[in-house]
Amino acid sequence: MFDLTGKLALVTGSGQGVGKGIAHVLIEAGAHVLVNDLVPERAEATAEALGKSASPLPFDVADADAVDAAVASCGPIDILVNNAGIPPSMRAVKFRSLPREEWAPYIDVNLYGVLNCVRATIDGMCERRWGRVITISSGSGVHGQNIGVSLYAAGKGAGISFMRHLAIECARDGVTANTLALGLMVREEGPGGEEARTVTAKLAGSIPVGRLGTGDDIGYACAFLASNEASWLTGQTIAVNGGSTTS
Ligand SMILES: NC(=O)c1ccc[n+]([C@@H]2O[C@H](COP(=O)([O-])OP(=O)(O)OC[C@H]3O[C@@H](n4cnc5c(N)ncnc54)[C@H](O)[C@@H]3O)[C@@H](O)[C@H]2O)c1
């Protein structure tokens, strides 16, 4: 069950954090994983750590030409996980205080990044009559929150809507498209720094199961969605959040 042997998967933003966990679990299930990241050294180090079933494929998901060139250099991609989603400039600030010049990166990575990666892979999936697209979103894309993430949430919500429509358009082609809406996760280094990690750790107690999520938790959900057994599951947004109702 949930055997991904022989499948080629691209996991964007998998040089660290959630994506690294997803890559690890997909490899355990038998897939070969292309480890993408904006930071080439991260993609290379993570691919090396994951072993011979992983290859680095650094590029910026928001750069359509770079996405097309990278995808063209690989074999046919069967499983696309759109995981890159936190722009390096991310900071928690409410909409009225967020300068217009800071809007674009949230939409670029979370909407155009998803569009670019789907555009580069979907024709091959439909032609081969098998494909899986999984987008990593957030409770922020589903619920209103007062934590200064409105632009990030706009991008996350856009990804959810796009997956729902892609799923219907490709439903007869053997391709499924789903979204995972994550709750609070263990954070590695990254935007927001130590302060963001401390705030996140403090909020862990409010999660019904009593802990933050890990990359592997999300990887198990991806392995299921990517499997043959999930061929009747498409167009859905699944909350993976330790039972939270607001994140
Ligand atoms: N961390 C959380 O609490 C949390 C909660 C809900 C949803 N999510 C979502 O989970 C996903 C992963 O989050 P994370 O916490 O692991 O983030 P992270 O910042 O720790 O790691 C993500 C990786 O993506 C890379 N990246 C960023 N922009 C990119 C781009 N344009 N092209 C290619 N790679 C890029 C970064 O270099 C980084 O290595 C994101 O979509 C995020 O929105 C995270």
Side-chain angles (χ1 to χ4, degrees), residues 12-19 36-39 42 59-62 82-88 109-110 136-139 152 156 182-191 200:
T12 68
S14 56
Q16 69 172 33
V18 172
N36 160 260
D37 207 283
L38 184 61
V39 182
R42 262 184 216 165
F59 59 83
D60 179 354
V61 297
N82 293 304
N83 168 75
I86 299 186
V109 67
N110 282 300
I136 303 303
S137 188
S138 164
Y152 167 77
K156 287 301 193 194
L182 312 194
L184 284 167
M185 308 296 297
V186 172
R187 290 298 317 273
E188 282 206 39
E189 277 180 37
T200 303

Side-chain angles (χ1 to χ4, degrees), residues 2-95:
F2 313 149
D3 181 7
L4 303 180
T5 303
K7 302 295 187 197
L8 182 61
L10 168 60
V11 184
T12 68
S14 56
Q16 69 172 33
V18 172
K20 187 175 178 180
I22 295 170
H24 163 245
V25 175
L26 295 185
I27 288 170
E28 293 272 296
H32 187 97
V33 174
L34 301 166
V35 177
N36 160 260
D37 207 283
L38 184 61
V39 182
E41 301 76 36
R42 262 184 216 165
E44 280 148 24
T46 294
E48 194 177 336
L50 290 171
K52 62 181 178 14
S53 293
S55 312
L57 193 66
F59 59 83
D60 179 354
V61 297
D63 178 342
D65 292 339
V67 174
D68 287 348
V71 169
S73 73
C74 313
I77 290 168
D78 305 297
I79 301 163
L80 167 65
V81 183
N82 293 304
N83 168 75
I86 299 186
S89 59
M90 180 149 178
R91 63 190 183 109
V93 52
K94 291 184 185 167
F95 181 71

